[in-house]
Amino acid sequence: LRPGESVTHALDNGRRAYLFVVNGELELNGQSLHGGDQARISEEAKLSFATGKSDAELLLLDLP
């Protein structure tokens, strides 16, 4: 994601996700994450990603 960009990802009912922030900084549903951080996500219907003043690179796995 480039500076100031945002994107959303919908998770179907019962699905989980794994997020790894490769580099940069971003917010996931309002939670600040930095390069090297990870998140294991469950019981969320929608994931909202937003960057601040720098680029962010992430890896998102949508899991059963």
Side-chain angles (χ1 to χ4, degrees):
L1 296 172
R2 291 193 165 80
E5 286 187 327
S6 62
V7 66
T8 60
H9 178 76
L11 287 174
D12 289 337
N13 192 23
R15 305 262 321 163
R16 299 172 293 132
Y18 172 80
L19 169 73
F20 180 74
V21 182
V22 177
N23 60 49
E25 298 179 20
L26 61 86
E27 285 191 5
L28 166 61
N29 292 357
Q31 181 82 25
S32 182
L33 299 170
H34 305 278
D37 287 347
Q38 62 179 324
R40 293 177 181 101
I41 304 154
S42 60
E43 299 180 22
E44 293 284 344
K46 180 176 151 186
L47 305 178
S48 297
F49 302 95
T51 60
K53 296 180 182 179
S54 64
D55 290 348
E57 186 176 359
L58 61 99
L59 174 65
L60 177 67
L61 302 175
D62 186 333
L63 304 166

